[in-house]
């Protein structure tokens, strides 16, 4: 049985994500990969929090010691001490942020790497079922969100917690009664915060989802521009975008609005606390219960006490937005990879190219078979045309030969070896594809042909282009082989694109060739060039051709006619015509149509 491998990340199995706590723990496990730096950051956080507490304490002490006692002896040392405390405080702040940025950038670097690498291990089906822009949004926006939060929030959360505890301890030590006064606002803060964050968490998740959706839509409409324009669907697309944009605006608006309440609420409660401490403290000082210095320390500490609470609540919101992003990233990392090869699967040696299907059945979804009980043999070097109505299962057979999917039952033999005992990579390395919508990458024509075999020399690339009848049109281009192609294939015709992909396949020199013939109408000269190039390419290779043109069907060694996932006829062109079955009627109807068009 083929084993499915669960995603592994940086050598450690990270727990699956469900719930806030688990996601935070999982993000933490990335930070823990940088233990020594994390320890340094934490030390600096402790130092800055302690120094932050020491400053006001020294001021209060100084007031009691020098002003209240009207003495200036050693006052200069107090000033030096204060300068040192605030100087070291700044240095520790700078260091912690410097190191934390390093950790954060390394963490998101690792996440991006894992996500991108994992993309390339996922089955083809995964991409068929998802919007590409939405997936791209996860690598960019969602990870960026995590990065922004890690840069600032981790430090902030630690230092806020430390400052909170430290302030509380000193305040209790100075005056338990005044501490109690300061604490009156805490339950109010807690309740307010809970009310706000229970709403924002949901809204941030929603915002990330909507952003992903919108990116998906933008990507789709940019790559589908030609279709949109040719069907004059611009108004519809603009309207659909408006709706998505509106939804994103709404979720962003509410998330930000609720978040915006936090500082206002905190400020109000802060002022309330300050007033209370000043009033009660003033009363105590007048009655001689506490010194003026203690009141100064206290008013400053009451601010220091509410500030970390304020910061914590602000960070909590940013954290929620990062968790929403991280969840979407982990979702993909946790998706099962393409089934990995059997444990004892071996690399395929150079093959002759025999392909045999023995009782192969397969379905994409549970339910009825997409193809059922397929049996046929393609001898080495034979060309096999797959013919049949749309949706019959021709591409599915190709998907099975290339092992993008595995049969539910039956076996596929390559050179008489069960394909399951062969590694996928070694099989695909002996195959090449010439598809209708051949994909050209951003880069030069030379690079695009060289994609067939990366170590090919410039001469080999040129030879392949000559064999593919592509050389003459390439040399007519402004920069010849160095002409840059853009992803949208601007400046290159459909036929030329096909010639380039034939050149790419010639260079790859595969034993098995998959050819999805172009249906688009190409001028007769280019078509002849393509036919000629194809004949050269097919020579000596086992080829599977999803045939749309009668010429290729006629010259194929074997024609397999498929209907509703089953082979209904098999044989050469002449044999099938003699049978006067499905193929015969298909052929004669196409012939009649052609004659009709010629008259
Ligand atoms: P065409 O000539 O139109 O390309 P085809 O003969 O190549 O058609 P297939 O693409 O093999 O037909 O499709 C066979 C059946 O499987 C169709 O009913 C199709 O809807 C279904 N199908 C194809 N790909 C998938 C997929 N990824 N997931 C689910 N069903 C699929």
């Amino acid at each position: 049985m083929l084993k499915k491998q669960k995603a592994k990340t940086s050598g450690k199995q990270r727990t699956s994500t469900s719930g806030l706590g688990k996601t935070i723990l999982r993000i933490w496990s990335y930070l823990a990969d940088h233990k020594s730096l994390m320890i340094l950051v934490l030390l600096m956080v402790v130092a800055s929090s302690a120094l932050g507490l020491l400053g006001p304490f020294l001021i209060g002490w100084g007031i009691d010691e020098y002003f209240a006692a009207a003495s200036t002896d050693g006052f200069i040392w107090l000033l030096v001490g204060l300068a040192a405390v605030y100087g070291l405080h700044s240095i520790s702040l700078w260091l912690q942020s410097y190191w934390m940025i390093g950790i954060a950038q390394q963490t998101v670097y690792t996440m991006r790497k894992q996500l991108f690498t994992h993309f390339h291990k996922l089955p083809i089906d995964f991409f068929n079922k998802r919007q590409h822009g939405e997936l791209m949004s996860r690598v960019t926006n969602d990870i960026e969100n995590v990065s922004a939060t890690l840069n600032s929030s981790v430090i902030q959360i630690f230092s806020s917690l430390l400052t909170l505890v430290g302030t509380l301890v000193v305040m209790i030590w100075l005056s338990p009664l005044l501490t109690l006064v300061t604490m009156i606002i805490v339950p109010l803060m807690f309740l307010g915060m809970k009310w706000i964050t229970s709403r924002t968490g949901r809204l941030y998740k929603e915002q990330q989802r909507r952003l992903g959706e919108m990116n998906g839509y933008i990507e789709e409409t940019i790559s589908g521009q030609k279709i949109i324009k040719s069907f004059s669907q611009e108004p519809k697309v603009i309207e659909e975008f408006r709706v998505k944009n509106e939804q994103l605006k709404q979720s962003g608006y509410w998330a930000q609005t609720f978040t915006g309440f936090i500082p206002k609420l905190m400020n109000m409660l802060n002022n309330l606390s300050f007033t209370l401490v000043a009033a009660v403290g003033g009363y105590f000082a007048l009655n001689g219960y506490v010194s003026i210095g203690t009141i100064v320390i206290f008013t400053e500490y009451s601010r220091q006490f509410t500030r970390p609470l304020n910061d914590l609540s602000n960070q909590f919101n940013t954290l929620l937005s990062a968790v929403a992003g991280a969840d979407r990233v982990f979702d993909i990392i946790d998706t099962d990879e393409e089934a990995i090869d059997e444990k004892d699967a071996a690399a395929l040696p150079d093959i002759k190219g025999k392909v045999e299907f023995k009782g192969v059945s397969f379905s994409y979804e549970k339910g009825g078979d997409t193809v059922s009980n397929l049996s046929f043999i393609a001898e080495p070097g034979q060309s096999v045309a797959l013919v049949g109505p749309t949706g019959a299962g021709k591409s599915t057979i190709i998907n099975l030969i290339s092992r993008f999917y595995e049969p539910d039952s039956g076996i596929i033999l390559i050179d008489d070896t069960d394909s399951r005992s062969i590694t996928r990579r070694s099989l695909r390395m002996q195959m090449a594809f010439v598809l209708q919508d051949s994909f050209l990458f951003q880069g030069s024509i030379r690079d695009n042909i060289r994609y067939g075999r990366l170590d090919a020399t410039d001469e080999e690339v040129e030879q392949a282009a000559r064999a593919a009848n592509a050389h003459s049109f390439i040399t007519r281009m402004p920069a010849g082989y160095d002409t840059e192609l853009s992803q949208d294939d601007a400046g290159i015709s459909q036929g030329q694109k096909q010639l380039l992909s034939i050149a790419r396949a010639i260079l790859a020199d595969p034993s098995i060739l998959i050819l999805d013939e172009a249906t688009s109408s190409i001028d007769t000269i280019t078509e002849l060039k393509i036919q000629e190039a194809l004949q050269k390419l097919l020579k000596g290779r086992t080829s599977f051709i999803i045939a749309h043109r009668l010429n290729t069907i006629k010259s194929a060694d074997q024609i397999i006619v498929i209907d509703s996932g089953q082979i209904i006829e098999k044989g050469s062109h002449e044999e099938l015509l003699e049978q006067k079955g499905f193929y015969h009627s298909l052929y004669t109807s196409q012939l009649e149509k052609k004659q009709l068009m010629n008259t």
Side-chain angles (χ1 to χ4, degrees):
M1 280 297 290
L2 289 163
K3 283 183 207 148
K4 296 235 169 180
Q5 191 188 337
K6 278 271 172 195
K8 281 187 182 167
T9 54
S10 81
K12 290 175 194 170
Q13 185 74 46
R14 313 210 192 247
T15 47
S16 83
T17 318
S18 74
L20 183 72
K22 273 192 174 166
T23 310
I24 293 178
L25 272 182
R26 194 160 167 181
I27 298 176
W28 177 252
S29 74
Y30 282 87
L31 299 180
D33 285 345
H34 310 277
K35 264 198 198 78
S36 33
L37 268 185
M38 257 333 264
I39 291 172
L40 281 176
V41 169
L42 293 184
L43 281 177
M44 286 303 116
V45 172
V46 173
S48 64
S49 306
L51 290 166
L53 286 174
L54 192 59
F57 187 84
L58 281 180
I59 293 174
W61 175 80
I63 287 174
D64 281 347
E65 192 72 16
Y66 297 106
F67 292 104
S71 147
T72 54
D73 273 359
F75 182 66
I76 188 75
W77 290 114
L78 175 71
L79 294 182
V80 171
L82 273 174
V85 164
Y86 284 114
L88 287 173
H89 185 240
S90 300
I91 292 173
S92 60
L93 285 179
W94 183 79
L95 277 177
Q96 58 187 254
S97 117
Y98 174 72
W99 283 323
M100 193 61 219
I101 287 171
I103 297 173
Q105 287 310 312
Q106 186 58 41
T107 298
V108 290
Y109 167 86
T110 310
M111 277 189 178
R112 267 197 298 267
K113 192 171 85 180
Q114 282 175 353
L115 188 59
F116 191 75
T117 312
H118 198 70
F119 270 151
H120 293 275
K121 292 179 183 166
L122 290 170
I124 220 81
D125 211 33
F126 175 88
F127 298 96
N128 289 343
K129 289 182 176 152
R130 283 170 179 82
Q131 266 188 325
H132 297 171
E134 201 269 341
L135 292 175
M136 279 155 60
S137 185
R138 300 193 192 213
V139 191
T140 51
N141 293 326
D142 289 327
I143 289 197
E144 198 41 49
N145 242 350
V146 177
S147 161
T149 306
L150 288 184
N151 278 342
S152 62
S153 299
V154 176
I155 291 176
Q156 195 77 60
I157 289 169
F158 277 118
S159 80
S160 299
L161 282 173
L162 276 175
T163 312
L164 199 69
V165 174
T167 317
L168 196 63
V169 170
V170 181
M171 284 198 313
I172 293 172
W173 175 61
L174 284 173
S175 166
L177 206 64
L178 279 179
T179 309
L180 207 66
V181 175
T182 316
M183 295 287 283
I184 288 176
I185 57 149
V186 173
L188 293 175
M189 274 185 170
F190 187 73
L191 285 176
M193 208 66 80
K194 196 158 180 276
W195 186 80
I196 294 171
T197 50
S198 66
R199 278 150 186 80
T200 42
R202 210 165 12 93
L203 288 166
Y204 275 118
K205 258 202 170 113
E206 168 104 352
Q207 191 184 2
Q208 289 304 108
R209 191 174 59 80
R210 297 259 186 231
L211 183 63
E213 262 177 34
M214 197 171 94
N215 282 333
Y217 192 74
I218 294 171
E219 195 268 344
E220 196 177 276
T221 50
I222 289 175
S223 42
Q225 261 305 302
K226 218 174 186 172
I227 304 290
I228 294 170
K229 283 200 163 55
S230 53
F231 285 94
S232 305
Q233 290 296 333
E234 292 94 334
K236 177 176 172 281
V237 168
I238 291 169
E239 174 55 21
E240 279 175 4
F241 181 79
R242 190 195 63 74
V243 173
K244 290 192 189 305
N245 201 7
E246 176 71 30
Q247 286 168 337
L248 178 61
K249 183 187 86 182
Q250 285 299 327
S251 51
Y253 173 80
W254 287 113
Q256 299 305 324
T257 303
F258 276 108
T259 312
F261 281 154
I262 295 175
K264 312 281 176 301
L265 175 77
M266 289 301 149
N267 201 21
M268 193 184 79
L269 293 174
N270 239 338
N271 288 337
L272 181 69
S273 161
F274 187 78
T275 314
L276 279 174
V277 170
V280 178
Y283 176 78
F284 283 171
L286 283 177
N287 289 293
Y289 298 136
V290 287
S291 68
I292 305 265
T294 308
I295 307 294
V296 172
I297 299 174
F298 237 92
T299 46
E300 182 54 29
Y301 273 19
S302 77
R303 281 201 185 286
Q304 286 224 13
F305 180 72
T306 47
R307 198 184 307 136
L309 280 178
N310 192 356
D311 289 345
L312 269 178
S313 60
N314 273 333
Q315 294 311 321
F316 195 65
N317 279 286
T318 338
L319 193 75
L320 284 179
S321 131
V323 165
D327 259 343
R328 287 160 48 81
V329 172
F330 295 146
D331 258 0
I332 307 252
I333 293 182
D334 289 339
T335 308
D336 281 349
E337 294 175 3
E338 184 177 34
I340 58 160
D341 298 314
E342 285 244 60
K343 218 159 75 204
D344 46 4
L348 194 63
D350 280 351
I351 52 166
K352 293 198 188 75
K354 183 177 173 190
V355 178
E356 183 174 358
F357 270 47
K358 270 192 183 168
V360 171
S361 298
F362 167 78
S363 73
Y364 289 102
E365 315 280 351
K366 282 192 183 74
D369 283 344
T370 307
V371 289
S372 59
N373 201 21
L374 300 179
S375 295
F376 64 85
I377 299 176
E379 295 293 348
Q382 264 199 347
S383 55
V384 179
L386 301 171
V387 182
T390 183
K394 302 179 293 286
S395 307
T396 307
I397 295 178
I398 301 299
N399 282 339
L400 288 167
I401 298 172
S402 344
R403 293 188 67 199
F404 289 128
Y405 298 90
E406 293 295 325
D408 296 329
S409 62
I411 53 169
I412 300 171
L413 300 155
I414 309 285
D415 272 13
D416 299 319
T417 311
D418 186 343
S419 66
R420 280 169 298 190
S421 62
I422 299 167
T423 60
R424 280 184 180 71
R425 192 174 146 75
S426 71
L427 171 68
R428 289 179 195 155
M429 277 174 78
Q430 304 210 31
M431 298 176 77
F433 298 77
V434 178
L435 305 175
Q436 276 189 48
D437 53 348
S438 286
F439 194 79
L440 294 180
F441 294 94
Q442 182 126 29
S444 67
I445 289 188
R446 192 190 310 280
D447 290 344
N448 265 287
I449 298 177
R450 192 175 273 137
Y451 209 77
R453 183 160 57 85
L454 295 182
D455 61 1
T457 61
D458 284 356
E459 283 78 56
E460 286 172 323
V461 168
E462 213 174 298
Q463 265 171 22
R466 279 180 200 278
N469 285 343
H471 180 75
S472 59
F473 95 78
I474 296 174
T475 45
R476 279 200 306 275
M477 300 203 68
Y481 281 86
D482 294 317
T483 308
E484 287 290 314
L485 298 177
S486 59
Q487 277 160 321
D488 57 3
D489 319 326
I492 186 163
S493 77
Q494 193 64 28
Q496 290 170 336
K497 207 172 142 189
Q498 274 241 320
L499 292 177
L500 284 186
S501 59
I502 292 172
R504 193 189 268 172
I506 290 177
L507 193 65
D509 192 18
S511 302
I512 301 173
L513 184 74
I514 309 287
L515 182 65
D516 193 351
E517 264 201 321
T519 43
S520 51
S521 49
I522 290 168
D523 68 88
T524 349
I525 296 176
T526 316
E527 180 166 348
L528 279 175
K529 279 186 178 171
I530 292 176
Q531 282 303 326
E532 198 186 297
L534 281 179
Q535 288 317 316
K536 274 188 233 166
L537 177 62
L538 297 180
K539 221 171 177 167
R541 306 175 207 281
T542 314
S543 48
F544 292 89
I545 308 156
I546 297 187
H548 302 283
R549 276 190 287 240
L550 302 174
N551 296 0
T552 336
I553 300 176
K554 270 187 345 199
S555 58
D557 296 313
Q558 194 183 166
I559 299 168
I560 298 180
V561 186
I562 305 143
D563 193 17
S564 306
Q566 284 177 333
I567 298 179
I568 52 167
E569 286 169 23
K570 210 165 33 175
S572 68
H573 174 70
E574 285 73 25
E575 285 165 359
L576 291 181
L577 281 186
E578 263 174 41
Q579 281 183 24
K580 294 217 182 313
F582 187 91
Y583 180 77
H584 180 266
S585 57
L586 185 85
Y587 181 73
T588 43
S589 71
Q590 282 199 15
L591 209 62
E592 277 165 15
K593 206 165 139 198
K594 205 174 174 194
Q595 280 164 353
L596 210 66
M597 280 167 73
N598 288 340
T599 53

